[in-house]
Amino acid sequence: MLKNSHEEISILMENLEYNEFFVHYQPIVDAATYEIRWIEALARWNSPIAGTVSPDKFIPVLEEKLHIIPVGMHILKKACMQLKRWYSNGCTNSGISVNVSSLQLQQHNFAEAVVTTLHEFGLKPHNLVLEITESLKLMGNEHALQTLKVLKEMGIRISIDDFGTGYNCLKCLQEFEFTSIKIDRSFVANMGNNRCKIIIDSIISLGHRIGVKVIAEGVETIEQCNQLKHMGCDMLQGYYFYLPSPAEELSLLLKNDFINKSMVQ
Ligand code: G
Ligand code: MN
């Protein structure tokens, strides 16, 4: 019986086929209106041997083996293709948010590859957000910072993911003008704790004082939702609103939501 340990996943990944990876989609909503602003593309892996493996387990192995570079691009392309499809079917006007590893940013041609992908699917830079984690590896890497600057100047939004968990988060904010901050879901999960609430409140004020939008991820209950809105959080994401779902499931939901909205306007 496979327990999906780091070693076992490493072995499974030796004969990797990129089409074993697929994408689930989870909306990010406006905290005031609950309208869908962005749809995050979340990588999923269906190993022919081990079945579905959690991203918390397979992403570190992909990074270690540098597979994250082609797999990350594969996910970006799938996500852009799906967004194009939603636009063509009149399902939504939200943009797509894609996770990017700092290892991808270190590639010399990453910015060009992103532009080529946007062109390929007829999308505009403002339709795309790139979510960056692994701040530790990002800072001090001039090429990665330069890549981010180039992408941002083109109009692509850059979000810092899992904020509050990396050692260098504040340094990141000093070195690069991110467009938004995503508060890590571990803070949201512990909002019942007063210290945690103060930390969230402080991240929101900090974000607003430096002119960035603040998103809370991992919102699972109405209490968390109301408190985050009360604290002035701009956008919310989590099981309380939408579970990560296959594109087809979200298509139906987006279409209905979009039709309802256009009828009111
Ligand atoms: O690192 P990043 O924030 O991109 O990771 C997102 C992961 O969090 C996804 O794999 C997704 O399935 C998961 N996720 C999304 N919403 C929730 C939630 O409300 N609670 C929890 N525990 N996990 C969530
Ligand atoms: Mn993310």
Side-chain angles (χ1 to χ4, degrees), residues 30-94:
D30 184 297
T33 62
Y34 296 168
E35 275 175 290
I36 298 172
R37 290 268 172 262
W38 298 99
I39 300 168
E40 183 174 0
L42 296 160
R44 297 290 185 258
W45 182 36
N46 203 351
S47 153
I49 299 166
T52 309
V53 181
S54 148
D56 294 347
K57 292 192 172 168
F58 74 73
I59 299 283
V61 180
L62 282 180
E63 292 198 318
E64 197 179 288
K65 296 185 174 283
L66 300 184
H67 288 320
I68 194 74
I69 294 160
V71 173
M73 195 43 74
H74 172 76
I75 301 290
L76 177 78
K77 286 194 172 185
K78 281 204 153 196
C80 287
M81 190 197 293
Q82 185 56 52
L83 187 67
K84 166 77 182 168
R85 206 172 285 159
W86 278 325
Y87 284 167
S88 307
N89 294 340
C91 290
T92 186
N93 50 20
S94 345

Short mmCIF file of all heavy atoms in Angstrom, two decimals, residues 30-94:
data_model
loop_
_atom_site.label_atom_id
_atom_site.label_comp_id
_atom_site.label_asym_id
_atom_site.label_seq_id
_atom_site.Cartn_x
_atom_site.Cartn_y
_atom_site.Cartn_z
N ASP A 30 -15.41 38.75 -4.99
CA ASP A 30 -15.36 40.08 -4.41
C ASP A 30 -16.01 39.99 -3.02
O ASP A 30 -17.11 39.45 -2.90
CB ASP A 30 -16.16 41.02 -5.33
CG ASP A 30 -16.10 42.45 -4.88
OD1 ASP A 30 -16.57 42.76 -3.75
OD2 ASP A 30 -15.60 43.27 -5.66
N ALA A 31 -15.35 40.53 -1.98
CA ALA A 31 -15.88 40.37 -0.63
C ALA A 31 -17.18 41.14 -0.42
O ALA A 31 -17.98 40.77 0.44
CB ALA A 31 -14.83 40.81 0.39
N ALA A 32 -17.41 42.19 -1.22
CA ALA A 32 -18.62 42.99 -1.01
C ALA A 32 -19.82 42.41 -1.76
O ALA A 32 -20.92 42.35 -1.23
CB ALA A 32 -18.37 44.43 -1.44
N THR A 33 -19.58 41.94 -2.99
CA THR A 33 -20.72 41.53 -3.84
C THR A 33 -20.79 40.02 -4.08
O THR A 33 -21.80 39.53 -4.60
CB THR A 33 -20.59 42.20 -5.23
OG1 THR A 33 -19.36 41.71 -5.82
CG2 THR A 33 -20.50 43.71 -5.13
N TYR A 34 -19.72 39.32 -3.71
CA TYR A 34 -19.57 37.87 -3.98
C TYR A 34 -19.51 37.55 -5.47
O TYR A 34 -19.63 36.39 -5.88
CB TYR A 34 -20.69 37.04 -3.33
CG TYR A 34 -20.71 37.11 -1.81
CD1 TYR A 34 -21.79 36.62 -1.08
CD2 TYR A 34 -19.64 37.64 -1.09
CE1 TYR A 34 -21.82 36.67 0.31
CE2 TYR A 34 -19.66 37.70 0.30
CZ TYR A 34 -20.76 37.21 0.99
OH TYR A 34 -20.78 37.27 2.35
N GLU A 35 -19.32 38.58 -6.30
CA GLU A 35 -19.14 38.30 -7.73
C GLU A 35 -17.78 37.63 -7.95
O GLU A 35 -16.81 37.98 -7.25
CB GLU A 35 -19.15 39.61 -8.52
CG GLU A 35 -20.53 40.08 -8.89
CD GLU A 35 -20.49 41.43 -9.55
OE1 GLU A 35 -20.18 42.41 -8.85
OE2 GLU A 35 -20.73 41.50 -10.75
N ILE A 36 -17.73 36.75 -8.93
CA ILE A 36 -16.46 36.06 -9.22
C ILE A 36 -15.53 37.02 -9.95
O ILE A 36 -15.87 37.54 -11.01
CB ILE A 36 -16.70 34.78 -10.04
CG1 ILE A 36 -17.57 33.80 -9.24
CG2 ILE A 36 -15.37 34.13 -10.43
CD1 ILE A 36 -18.03 32.58 -10.02
N ARG A 37 -14.36 37.28 -9.36
CA ARG A 37 -13.39 38.18 -9.99
C ARG A 37 -12.33 37.41 -10.76
O ARG A 37 -11.88 37.80 -11.80
CB ARG A 37 -12.70 39.04 -8.92
CG ARG A 37 -13.60 40.06 -8.30
CD ARG A 37 -13.50 41.39 -9.06
NE ARG A 37 -14.49 42.33 -8.59
CZ ARG A 37 -15.66 42.54 -9.19
NH1 ARG A 37 -15.98 41.89 -10.29
NH2 ARG A 37 -16.51 43.42 -8.69
N TRP A 38 -11.84 36.34 -10.10
CA TRP A 38 -10.77 35.52 -10.67
C TRP A 38 -11.11 34.07 -10.48
O TRP A 38 -11.87 33.73 -9.57
CB TRP A 38 -9.43 35.82 -9.96
CG TRP A 38 -9.01 37.24 -10.12
CD1 TRP A 38 -9.19 38.24 -9.20
CD2 TRP A 38 -8.38 37.84 -11.25
NE1 TRP A 38 -8.72 39.42 -9.72
CE2 TRP A 38 -8.21 39.21 -10.96
CE3 TRP A 38 -7.95 37.35 -12.49
CZ2 TRP A 38 -7.64 40.09 -11.86
CZ3 TRP A 38 -7.38 38.24 -13.38
CH2 TRP A 38 -7.22 39.59 -13.06
N ILE A 39 -10.52 33.22 -11.34
CA ILE A 39 -10.69 31.78 -11.17
C ILE A 39 -9.28 31.19 -11.07
O ILE A 39 -8.48 31.34 -11.99
CB ILE A 39 -11.46 31.18 -12.35
CG1 ILE A 39 -12.86 31.84 -12.44
CG2 ILE A 39 -11.58 29.67 -12.20
CD1 ILE A 39 -13.60 31.55 -13.73
N GLU A 40 -9.00 30.59 -9.90
CA GLU A 40 -7.64 30.03 -9.73
C GLU A 40 -7.56 28.64 -10.33
O GLU A 40 -8.43 27.78 -10.11
CB GLU A 40 -7.25 29.99 -8.25
CG GLU A 40 -5.80 29.48 -8.07
CD GLU A 40 -5.27 29.53 -6.65
OE1 GLU A 40 -6.00 29.97 -5.74
OE2 GLU A 40 -4.09 29.12 -6.47
N ALA A 41 -6.52 28.43 -11.13
CA ALA A 41 -6.25 27.11 -11.72
C ALA A 41 -5.38 26.33 -10.73
O ALA A 41 -4.31 26.80 -10.35
CB ALA A 41 -5.51 27.29 -13.05
N LEU A 42 -5.85 25.18 -10.30
CA LEU A 42 -5.13 24.39 -9.30
C LEU A 42 -4.68 23.06 -9.91
O LEU A 42 -5.51 22.30 -10.44
CB LEU A 42 -6.03 24.14 -8.09
CG LEU A 42 -6.44 25.42 -7.33
CD1 LEU A 42 -7.68 25.17 -6.48
CD2 LEU A 42 -5.29 25.91 -6.46
N ALA A 43 -3.39 22.81 -9.85
CA ALA A 43 -2.84 21.58 -10.45
C ALA A 43 -3.27 20.36 -9.66
O ALA A 43 -3.25 20.37 -8.43
CB ALA A 43 -1.32 21.68 -10.46
N ARG A 44 -3.64 19.33 -10.38
CA ARG A 44 -3.98 18.05 -9.76
C ARG A 44 -3.22 16.96 -10.49
O ARG A 44 -2.97 17.07 -11.69
CB ARG A 44 -5.49 17.79 -9.90
CG ARG A 44 -6.36 18.83 -9.16
CD ARG A 44 -6.24 18.64 -7.66
NE ARG A 44 -7.11 19.48 -6.86
CZ ARG A 44 -6.71 20.58 -6.22
NH1 ARG A 44 -5.47 21.02 -6.33
NH2 ARG A 44 -7.55 21.25 -5.46
N TRP A 45 -2.84 15.91 -9.76
CA TRP A 45 -2.07 14.82 -10.38
C TRP A 45 -2.76 13.49 -10.16
O TRP A 45 -3.05 13.12 -9.02
CB TRP A 45 -0.65 14.76 -9.81
CG TRP A 45 0.21 13.70 -10.44
CD1 TRP A 45 0.20 13.30 -11.74
CD2 TRP A 45 1.20 12.89 -9.78
NE1 TRP A 45 1.14 12.31 -11.95
CE2 TRP A 45 1.76 12.04 -10.77
CE3 TRP A 45 1.67 12.82 -8.48
CZ2 TRP A 45 2.76 11.12 -10.47
CZ3 TRP A 45 2.67 11.91 -8.17
CH2 TRP A 45 3.21 11.07 -9.16
N ASN A 46 -3.01 12.81 -11.25
CA ASN A 46 -3.61 11.50 -11.18
C ASN A 46 -2.54 10.50 -11.61
O ASN A 46 -2.35 10.29 -12.80
CB ASN A 46 -4.81 11.47 -12.13
CG ASN A 46 -5.79 10.41 -11.73
OD1 ASN A 46 -5.50 9.59 -10.85
ND2 ASN A 46 -6.93 10.40 -12.38
N SER A 47 -1.84 9.94 -10.64
CA SER A 47 -0.77 9.01 -10.98
C SER A 47 -1.39 7.68 -11.40
O SER A 47 -2.31 7.18 -10.74
CB SER A 47 0.12 8.79 -9.75
OG SER A 47 0.72 7.54 -9.81
N PRO A 48 -0.90 7.08 -12.50
CA PRO A 48 -1.48 5.79 -12.94
C PRO A 48 -1.31 4.72 -11.86
O PRO A 48 -2.07 3.76 -11.82
CB PRO A 48 -0.67 5.44 -14.18
CG PRO A 48 0.23 6.58 -14.48
CD PRO A 48 0.18 7.55 -13.35
N ILE A 49 -0.33 4.89 -10.98
CA ILE A 49 -0.10 3.87 -9.95
C ILE A 49 -0.73 4.26 -8.61
O ILE A 49 -1.44 3.47 -7.99
CB ILE A 49 1.42 3.63 -9.77
CG1 ILE A 49 2.00 3.14 -11.11
CG2 ILE A 49 1.70 2.64 -8.64
CD1 ILE A 49 3.49 3.19 -11.19
N ALA A 50 -0.51 5.48 -8.18
CA ALA A 50 -0.96 5.86 -6.83
C ALA A 50 -2.32 6.55 -6.82
O ALA A 50 -2.85 6.84 -5.75
CB ALA A 50 0.08 6.76 -6.19
N GLY A 51 -2.87 6.86 -7.98
CA GLY A 51 -4.15 7.58 -8.01
C GLY A 51 -3.94 9.07 -7.74
O GLY A 51 -2.87 9.61 -8.01
N THR A 52 -4.94 9.70 -7.16
CA THR A 52 -4.86 11.14 -6.94
C THR A 52 -3.92 11.44 -5.77
O THR A 52 -4.08 10.90 -4.68
CB THR A 52 -6.26 11.70 -6.64
OG1 THR A 52 -7.12 11.23 -7.67
CG2 THR A 52 -6.27 13.21 -6.63
N VAL A 53 -2.93 12.28 -6.03
CA VAL A 53 -1.96 12.64 -5.00
C VAL A 53 -2.16 14.12 -4.68
O VAL A 53 -2.38 14.94 -5.57
CB VAL A 53 -0.51 12.41 -5.52
CG1 VAL A 53 0.53 12.75 -4.46
CG2 VAL A 53 -0.33 10.97 -5.99
N SER A 54 -2.08 14.46 -3.39
CA SER A 54 -2.32 15.85 -2.98
C SER A 54 -1.22 16.79 -3.49
O SER A 54 -0.03 16.43 -3.46
CB SER A 54 -2.40 15.89 -1.45
OG SER A 54 -1.92 17.10 -0.98
N PRO A 55 -1.57 18.00 -3.92
CA PRO A 55 -0.55 18.94 -4.41
C PRO A 55 0.50 19.29 -3.35
O PRO A 55 1.66 19.52 -3.68
CB PRO A 55 -1.34 20.18 -4.82
CG PRO A 55 -2.76 19.94 -4.46
CD PRO A 55 -2.93 18.52 -4.07
N ASP A 56 0.09 19.28 -2.09
CA ASP A 56 1.07 19.56 -1.01
C ASP A 56 2.22 18.56 -1.07
O ASP A 56 3.34 18.84 -0.67
CB ASP A 56 0.43 19.44 0.38
CG ASP A 56 -0.63 20.49 0.60
OD1 ASP A 56 -0.67 21.44 -0.21
OD2 ASP A 56 -1.41 20.35 1.56
N LYS A 57 1.90 17.36 -1.58
CA LYS A 57 2.94 16.32 -1.65
C LYS A 57 3.68 16.34 -2.99
O LYS A 57 4.88 16.13 -3.03
CB LYS A 57 2.33 14.94 -1.42
CG LYS A 57 1.85 14.80 0.00
CD LYS A 57 1.52 13.38 0.33
CE LYS A 57 1.23 13.26 1.83
NZ LYS A 57 0.65 11.98 2.16
N PHE A 58 2.95 16.53 -4.10
CA PHE A 58 3.66 16.39 -5.38
C PHE A 58 4.37 17.67 -5.83
O PHE A 58 5.37 17.57 -6.54
CB PHE A 58 2.77 15.79 -6.47
CG PHE A 58 1.69 16.69 -7.05
CD1 PHE A 58 2.01 17.73 -7.92
CD2 PHE A 58 0.36 16.47 -6.76
CE1 PHE A 58 1.01 18.53 -8.48
CE2 PHE A 58 -0.65 17.26 -7.30
CZ PHE A 58 -0.31 18.30 -8.17
N ILE A 59 3.91 18.86 -5.40
CA ILE A 59 4.59 20.09 -5.85
C ILE A 59 6.05 20.14 -5.38
O ILE A 59 6.95 20.40 -6.19
CB ILE A 59 3.81 21.37 -5.43
CG1 ILE A 59 2.40 21.39 -6.05
CG2 ILE A 59 4.60 22.65 -5.75
CD1 ILE A 59 2.29 21.78 -7.53
N PRO A 60 6.33 19.83 -4.08
CA PRO A 60 7.75 19.86 -3.66
C PRO A 60 8.62 18.90 -4.48
O PRO A 60 9.77 19.23 -4.80
CB PRO A 60 7.70 19.43 -2.19
CG PRO A 60 6.31 19.75 -1.75
CD PRO A 60 5.43 19.58 -2.95
N VAL A 61 8.08 17.73 -4.86
CA VAL A 61 8.88 16.78 -5.65
C VAL A 61 9.08 17.32 -7.07
O VAL A 61 10.18 17.22 -7.63
CB VAL A 61 8.24 15.37 -5.66
CG1 VAL A 61 9.07 14.40 -6.47
CG2 VAL A 61 8.05 14.86 -4.24
N LEU A 62 8.03 17.91 -7.64
CA LEU A 62 8.17 18.51 -8.98
C LEU A 62 9.25 19.58 -8.96
O LEU A 62 10.04 19.71 -9.91
CB LEU A 62 6.85 19.16 -9.42
CG LEU A 62 5.73 18.28 -9.93
CD1 LEU A 62 4.53 19.14 -10.31
CD2 LEU A 62 6.17 17.47 -11.14
N GLU A 63 9.30 20.35 -7.86
CA GLU A 63 10.29 21.43 -7.78
C GLU A 63 11.69 20.85 -7.64
O GLU A 63 12.62 21.29 -8.33
CB GLU A 63 9.97 22.35 -6.60
CG GLU A 63 8.69 23.12 -6.84
CD GLU A 63 8.52 24.33 -5.95
OE1 GLU A 63 8.83 24.23 -4.75
OE2 GLU A 63 8.08 25.38 -6.48
N GLU A 64 11.79 19.85 -6.77
CA GLU A 64 13.09 19.22 -6.51
C GLU A 64 13.69 18.67 -7.81
O GLU A 64 14.87 18.77 -8.07
CB GLU A 64 12.84 18.10 -5.52
CG GLU A 64 14.06 17.58 -4.80
CD GLU A 64 13.59 16.49 -3.84
OE1 GLU A 64 12.95 16.83 -2.82
OE2 GLU A 64 13.84 15.30 -4.15
N LYS A 65 12.84 18.06 -8.63
CA LYS A 65 13.33 17.43 -9.86
C LYS A 65 13.26 18.36 -11.06
O LYS A 65 13.47 17.92 -12.20
CB LYS A 65 12.50 16.16 -10.15
CG LYS A 65 12.68 15.11 -9.08
CD LYS A 65 11.97 13.83 -9.45
CE LYS A 65 12.25 12.72 -8.46
NZ LYS A 65 13.55 12.11 -8.62
N LEU A 66 12.88 19.61 -10.81
CA LEU A 66 12.76 20.64 -11.85
C LEU A 66 11.67 20.34 -12.88
O LEU A 66 11.57 21.01 -13.89
CB LEU A 66 14.09 20.90 -12.57
CG LEU A 66 15.25 21.37 -11.70
CD1 LEU A 66 16.48 21.67 -12.56
CD2 LEU A 66 14.90 22.60 -10.88
N HIS A 67 10.86 19.28 -12.61
CA HIS A 67 9.72 19.00 -13.50
C HIS A 67 8.71 20.13 -13.45
O HIS A 67 7.84 20.23 -14.29
CB HIS A 67 8.99 17.71 -13.09
CG HIS A 67 9.75 16.46 -13.37
ND1 HIS A 67 10.47 16.28 -14.53
CD2 HIS A 67 9.88 15.32 -12.64
CE1 HIS A 67 11.01 15.08 -14.50
NE2 HIS A 67 10.68 14.49 -13.37
N ILE A 68 8.78 20.95 -12.39
CA ILE A 68 7.81 22.04 -12.23
C ILE A 68 7.88 23.01 -13.42
O ILE A 68 6.88 23.65 -13.75
CB ILE A 68 8.05 22.81 -10.89
CG1 ILE A 68 6.87 23.70 -10.53
CG2 ILE A 68 9.32 23.63 -10.92
CD1 ILE A 68 5.67 23.00 -10.04
N ILE A 69 9.01 23.05 -14.10
CA ILE A 69 9.14 24.01 -15.21
C ILE A 69 8.22 23.60 -16.38
O ILE A 69 7.34 24.37 -16.74
CB ILE A 69 10.62 24.21 -15.59
CG1 ILE A 69 11.33 24.89 -14.39
CG2 ILE A 69 10.77 25.04 -16.85
CD1 ILE A 69 12.81 24.75 -14.35
N PRO A 70 8.36 22.39 -16.92
CA PRO A 70 7.40 22.01 -17.98
C PRO A 70 5.97 21.80 -17.47
O PRO A 70 5.01 22.18 -18.15
CB PRO A 70 7.97 20.70 -18.54
CG PRO A 70 8.91 20.18 -17.51
CD PRO A 70 9.43 21.38 -16.76
N VAL A 71 5.83 21.23 -16.27
CA VAL A 71 4.46 20.98 -15.78
C VAL A 71 3.75 22.31 -15.51
O VAL A 71 2.57 22.49 -15.84
CB VAL A 71 4.46 20.07 -14.52
CG1 VAL A 71 3.07 19.96 -13.92
CG2 VAL A 71 4.99 18.68 -14.86
N GLY A 72 4.48 23.28 -14.96
CA GLY A 72 3.91 24.61 -14.69
C GLY A 72 3.41 25.25 -15.99
O GLY A 72 2.34 25.85 -16.05
N MET A 73 4.18 25.10 -17.05
CA MET A 73 3.81 25.68 -18.35
C MET A 73 2.59 24.94 -18.92
O MET A 73 1.69 25.57 -19.49
CB MET A 73 5.03 25.59 -19.29
CG MET A 73 4.95 26.42 -20.53
SD MET A 73 4.31 28.10 -20.33
CE MET A 73 5.66 28.93 -19.54
N HIS A 74 2.57 23.62 -18.72
CA HIS A 74 1.44 22.81 -19.16
C HIS A 74 0.15 23.30 -18.47
O HIS A 74 -0.89 23.47 -19.12
CB HIS A 74 1.76 21.35 -18.79
CG HIS A 74 0.67 20.37 -18.97
ND1 HIS A 74 0.31 19.89 -20.20
CD2 HIS A 74 -0.14 19.74 -18.06
CE1 HIS A 74 -0.68 19.02 -20.04
NE2 HIS A 74 -0.97 18.93 -18.76
N ILE A 75 0.23 23.59 -17.17
CA ILE A 75 -0.94 24.06 -16.41
C ILE A 75 -1.35 25.46 -16.90
O ILE A 75 -2.53 25.74 -17.10
CB ILE A 75 -0.62 24.11 -14.88
CG1 ILE A 75 -0.23 22.73 -14.34
CG2 ILE A 75 -1.79 24.73 -14.07
CD1 ILE A 75 -1.31 21.70 -14.27
N LEU A 76 -0.36 26.33 -17.12
CA LEU A 76 -0.67 27.70 -17.61
C LEU A 76 -1.41 27.63 -18.95
O LEU A 76 -2.40 28.32 -19.16
CB LEU A 76 0.63 28.51 -17.74
CG LEU A 76 0.45 29.91 -18.31
CD1 LEU A 76 -0.08 30.88 -17.25
CD2 LEU A 76 1.75 30.47 -18.88
N LYS A 77 -0.93 26.76 -19.82
CA LYS A 77 -1.57 26.64 -21.15
C LYS A 77 -2.99 26.11 -21.03
O LYS A 77 -3.90 26.62 -21.66
CB LYS A 77 -0.75 25.71 -22.06
CG LYS A 77 0.49 26.40 -22.53
CD LYS A 77 1.14 25.66 -23.67
CE LYS A 77 2.27 26.55 -24.18
NZ LYS A 77 2.94 26.09 -25.32
N LYS A 78 -3.15 25.07 -20.20
CA LYS A 78 -4.50 24.49 -20.02
C LYS A 78 -5.45 25.55 -19.47
O LYS A 78 -6.59 25.66 -19.91
CB LYS A 78 -4.44 23.31 -19.04
CG LYS A 78 -3.93 22.06 -19.66
CD LYS A 78 -4.44 20.85 -18.88
CE LYS A 78 -4.51 19.67 -19.83
NZ LYS A 78 -5.27 18.56 -19.38
N ALA A 79 -4.95 26.33 -18.50
CA ALA A 79 -5.79 27.34 -17.85
C ALA A 79 -6.18 28.43 -18.85
O ALA A 79 -7.33 28.85 -18.91
CB ALA A 79 -5.05 27.94 -16.66
N CYS A 80 -5.21 28.87 -19.68
CA CYS A 80 -5.50 29.91 -20.66
C CYS A 80 -6.47 29.38 -21.72
O CYS A 80 -7.38 30.09 -22.15
CB CYS A 80 -4.22 30.41 -21.32
SG CYS A 80 -3.25 31.42 -20.19
N MET A 81 -6.28 28.13 -22.10
CA MET A 81 -7.18 27.53 -23.10
C MET A 81 -8.60 27.48 -22.55
O MET A 81 -9.57 27.79 -23.23
CB MET A 81 -6.68 26.11 -23.43
CG MET A 81 -7.37 25.48 -24.60
SD MET A 81 -7.12 23.71 -24.61
CE MET A 81 -5.38 23.61 -24.91
N GLN A 82 -8.71 27.12 -21.26
CA GLN A 82 -10.03 27.03 -20.63
C GLN A 82 -10.68 28.41 -20.52
O GLN A 82 -11.88 28.57 -20.78
CB GLN A 82 -9.90 26.37 -19.24
CG GLN A 82 -11.23 26.12 -18.57
CD GLN A 82 -12.16 25.27 -19.41
OE1 GLN A 82 -11.80 24.19 -19.88
NE2 GLN A 82 -13.38 25.75 -19.64
N LEU A 83 -9.87 29.42 -20.17
CA LEU A 83 -10.43 30.78 -20.04
C LEU A 83 -10.96 31.25 -21.39
O LEU A 83 -12.05 31.81 -21.50
CB LEU A 83 -9.38 31.75 -19.50
CG LEU A 83 -9.95 33.15 -19.20
CD1 LEU A 83 -10.94 33.10 -18.03
CD2 LEU A 83 -8.84 34.16 -18.89
N LYS A 84 -10.17 30.97 -22.43
CA LYS A 84 -10.57 31.33 -23.79
C LYS A 84 -11.93 30.68 -24.13
O LYS A 84 -12.83 31.31 -24.67
CB LYS A 84 -9.47 30.87 -24.76
CG LYS A 84 -9.85 30.85 -26.21
CD LYS A 84 -9.85 32.25 -26.76
CE LYS A 84 -10.28 32.26 -28.20
NZ LYS A 84 -10.54 33.61 -28.66
N ARG A 85 -12.05 29.40 -23.74
CA ARG A 85 -13.29 28.66 -24.01
C ARG A 85 -14.47 29.31 -23.26
O ARG A 85 -15.54 29.50 -23.81
CB ARG A 85 -13.09 27.22 -23.53
CG ARG A 85 -13.95 26.22 -24.24
CD ARG A 85 -13.56 24.79 -23.87
NE ARG A 85 -12.33 24.34 -24.50
CZ ARG A 85 -11.58 23.33 -24.04
NH1 ARG A 85 -11.90 22.72 -22.92
NH2 ARG A 85 -10.50 22.96 -24.69
N TRP A 86 -14.23 29.67 -21.99
CA TRP A 86 -15.31 30.33 -21.22
C TRP A 86 -15.70 31.67 -21.85
O TRP A 86 -16.87 31.99 -21.93
CB TRP A 86 -14.87 30.53 -19.76
CG TRP A 86 -15.03 29.30 -18.90
CD1 TRP A 86 -16.02 28.35 -19.00
CD2 TRP A 86 -14.18 28.88 -17.83
NE1 TRP A 86 -15.83 27.37 -18.03
CE2 TRP A 86 -14.73 27.67 -17.30
CE3 TRP A 86 -13.02 29.38 -17.24
CZ2 TRP A 86 -14.16 26.99 -16.22
CZ3 TRP A 86 -12.46 28.72 -16.16
CH2 TRP A 86 -13.01 27.52 -15.67
N TYR A 87 -14.69 32.42 -22.29
CA TYR A 87 -14.98 33.71 -22.94
C TYR A 87 -15.79 33.48 -24.22
O TYR A 87 -16.78 34.15 -24.47
CB TYR A 87 -13.70 34.48 -23.27
CG TYR A 87 -13.01 35.14 -22.09
CD1 TYR A 87 -11.71 35.65 -22.21
CD2 TYR A 87 -13.64 35.29 -20.86
CE1 TYR A 87 -11.06 36.26 -21.14
CE2 TYR A 87 -12.99 35.89 -19.78
CZ TYR A 87 -11.71 36.37 -19.93
OH TYR A 87 -11.07 36.98 -18.87
N SER A 88 -15.35 32.50 -25.02
CA SER A 88 -16.04 32.25 -26.29
C SER A 88 -17.48 31.83 -26.08
O SER A 88 -18.35 32.13 -26.89
CB SER A 88 -15.36 31.13 -27.08
OG SER A 88 -14.01 31.42 -27.22
N ASN A 89 -17.73 31.12 -24.96
CA ASN A 89 -19.10 30.67 -24.68
C ASN A 89 -19.90 31.71 -23.89
O ASN A 89 -21.02 31.42 -23.45
CB ASN A 89 -19.08 29.36 -23.90
CG ASN A 89 -18.51 28.23 -24.73
OD1 ASN A 89 -18.47 28.31 -25.96
ND2 ASN A 89 -18.02 27.19 -24.07
N GLY A 90 -19.30 32.88 -23.67
CA GLY A 90 -20.00 33.94 -22.93
C GLY A 90 -20.31 33.56 -21.49
O GLY A 90 -21.33 33.95 -20.93
N CYS A 91 -19.44 32.76 -20.88
CA CYS A 91 -19.71 32.28 -19.53
C CYS A 91 -19.28 33.24 -18.44
O CYS A 91 -19.79 33.18 -17.32
CB CYS A 91 -18.96 30.98 -19.26
SG CYS A 91 -19.57 29.60 -20.18
N THR A 92 -18.30 34.05 -18.70
CA THR A 92 -17.70 34.83 -17.61
C THR A 92 -16.94 36.02 -18.16
O THR A 92 -16.59 36.04 -19.34
CB THR A 92 -16.73 33.93 -16.79
OG1 THR A 92 -16.27 34.66 -15.66
CG2 THR A 92 -15.52 33.48 -17.59
N ASN A 93 -16.69 37.00 -17.29
CA ASN A 93 -15.70 38.01 -17.65
C ASN A 93 -14.59 38.07 -16.60
O ASN A 93 -13.85 39.03 -16.53
CB ASN A 93 -16.33 39.39 -17.89
CG ASN A 93 -17.24 39.79 -16.76
OD1 ASN A 93 -17.12 39.24 -15.67
ND2 ASN A 93 -18.13 40.72 -17.01
N SER A 94 -14.51 37.03 -15.75
CA SER A 94 -13.42 36.99 -14.77
C SER A 94 -12.12 36.60 -15.46
O SER A 94 -12.13 36.08 -16.57
CB SER A 94 -13.68 35.95 -13.68
OG SER A 94 -14.99 35.54 -13.66
#
